[in-house]
Amino acid sequence: MRGETREKFGLFLGLVGVICFSLTLPSTSVAVEYFGTTIVGLGRTVVAAILVAVVLIVRKEKLPSPSQFKSLLIVAVGAVLGFPLLTSWAMESLPVSHGAVEVALLPLATAGFAIFRAGEIPSIKFWVSSIIGSLAVIMYALHLGFGQLQFADLALLTAVIILGLSYAEGGKLAKELGSWQVIAWAIMIGAPFFIIPVGLNLTTEMLYAPIHAWISFIYLAVVSQFLAYVAWYSGMAMGGIARVSQIQYLQPFLMIVFATVFLDESITFFTIVTAVIVVFSVIFGKNAPVTKKVAVSHLEQPNSDRCRDRQS
């Protein structure tokens, strides 16, 4: 595949990944009404693990090393446990459009953790962008919560922070383990621990859930939890991280559109304005310059010191 064609296909895969992720909150909102937080938040991973196990076996992927396993634990805590569980709980009481505005901070959270993990110092521009985006989200949540933050809002913001950390760790690990392999192994790590709580929350009434609830749950398990990551990471690998990651700015607006089309939510002008402010703050924050921390060793002396040593 030519370089230009490969890059365009990478952009296409990145767009597919973003569209798939954009349907996560709407699907969660539908499924959690019939299956509950535990089944939707953790059960999706148990189902996804079956598909992932088949793929890993067929491709004969090597087991991660002990050092890689430590990073995979961080990815699993965020992408496999924290984000699905917290968003499932939050979507029981919040509209999807509300969640879309708060989840829009995810690229900025990811960039922040990536900066610190790389040992870099964020610029003033990054901090200003972070504060503006965060304040916009908090004001939006306060407005809809009649002057106070709901626990669901705190759950969503916590989910964004945890997932941002796991994205940053996963992005770093993908360079040595492989792109989609990161989420695949994270799923395999988390799934065994979820079997018991998921089994305890299964009920016979769930068998009679409507078809749209089952479609939503299967979508979360097969697409949101795994295939969307395959498209997203593959797209960045082929089209370049910098270019493909820009597509992520469409995600909150796509979520709002899907909430309107599939859930018949009414979207206010205030929601759109807040989403625009948050997305622009994320764009400026992610593109802010950073500086490397310089570690000066006691063995490395300035030239003047070295001259004195020679003279003595």
Side-chain angles (χ1 to χ4, degrees):
M1 188 180 292
R2 293 180 182 177
E4 185 177 347
T5 304
R6 177 183 172 85
E7 187 174 291
K8 289 181 179 179
F9 189 62
L11 289 170
F12 170 74
L13 288 177
L15 178 60
V16 170
V18 166
I19 293 174
C20 292
F21 287 136
S22 300
L23 282 164
T24 298
L25 287 190
S27 299
T28 301
S29 181
V30 172
V32 77
E33 181 180 352
Y34 299 94
F35 301 117
T37 301
T38 302
I39 300 299
V40 175
L42 303 182
R44 69 174 80 173
T45 300
V46 176
V47 176
I50 300 173
L51 172 62
V52 171
V54 172
V55 174
L56 291 175
I57 292 172
V58 170
R59 290 180 57 89
K60 298 180 180 179
E61 295 288 337
K62 295 181 179 179
L63 290 172
S65 67
S67 61
Q68 292 171 340
F69 185 81
K70 293 178 181 178
S71 294
L72 284 170
L73 284 177
I74 297 176
V75 177
V77 168
V80 177
L81 172 62
F83 188 80
L85 195 60
L86 289 171
T87 52
S88 295
W89 184 74
M91 287 300 98
E92 286 186 319
S93 57
L94 293 179
V96 171
S97 56
H98 187 134
V101 171
E102 298 185 9
V103 173
L105 285 173
L106 178 58
L108 196 58
T110 304
F113 280 115
I115 288 172
F116 286 112
R117 288 289 286 120
E120 298 172 337
I121 303 174
S123 64
I124 297 297
K125 183 179 178 182
F126 176 85
W127 288 117
V128 170
S129 300
S130 300
I131 292 171
I132 292 175
S134 300
L135 286 177
V137 167
I138 291 173
M139 289 177 63
Y140 178 75
L142 287 172
H143 173 74
L144 295 184
F146 302 103
Q148 62 181 1
L149 283 174
Q150 302 179 46
F151 283 114
D153 288 303
L154 297 176
L156 267 181
L157 292 175
T158 302
V160 168
I161 293 172
I162 294 174
L163 188 60
L165 173 59
S166 71
Y167 270 9
E169 191 69 25
K172 183 179 180 182
L173 181 60
K175 296 177 182 178
E176 54 183 275
L177 186 61
S179 53
W180 63 268
Q181 288 89 337
V182 172
I183 188 63
W185 286 115
I187 289 172
M188 296 306 297
I189 289 172
F193 297 98
F194 302 162
I195 292 175
I196 292 179
V198 168
L200 292 175
N201 282 272
L202 289 173
T203 63
T204 55
E205 287 80 7
M206 293 178 182
L207 296 173
Y208 303 100
I211 187 65
H212 64 274
W214 279 106
I215 291 174
S216 297
F217 177 75
I218 293 172
Y219 179 87
L220 290 170
V222 176
V223 180
S224 291
Q225 196 63 50
F226 181 54
L227 294 182
Y229 282 96
V230 174
W232 177 245
Y233 282 127
S234 299
M236 287 195 293
M238 298 176 69
I241 295 175
R243 289 197 65 187
V244 176
S245 63
Q246 306 298 315
I247 304 174
Q248 199 172 16
Y249 300 137
L250 295 173
Q251 188 166 308
F253 302 106
L254 289 174
M255 282 187 184
I256 292 172
V257 170
F258 291 144
T260 305
V261 174
F262 296 115
L263 304 178
D264 199 27
E265 287 189 8
S266 57
I267 307 302
T268 65
F269 179 73
F270 186 56
T271 297
I272 298 298
V273 170
T274 306
V276 170
I277 293 173
V278 173
V279 168
F280 271 105
S281 70
V282 170
I283 292 174
F284 285 120
K286 281 195 67 178
N287 295 328
V290 294
T291 56
K292 286 281 187 181
K293 292 181 181 178
V294 180
V296 179
S297 172
H298 67 280
L299 297 176
E300 297 178 358
Q301 300 176 340
N303 292 334
S304 59
D305 291 342
R306 292 176 183 173
C307 290
R308 292 194 201 100
D309 290 342
R310 292 193 189 99
Q311 291 174 357
S312 60

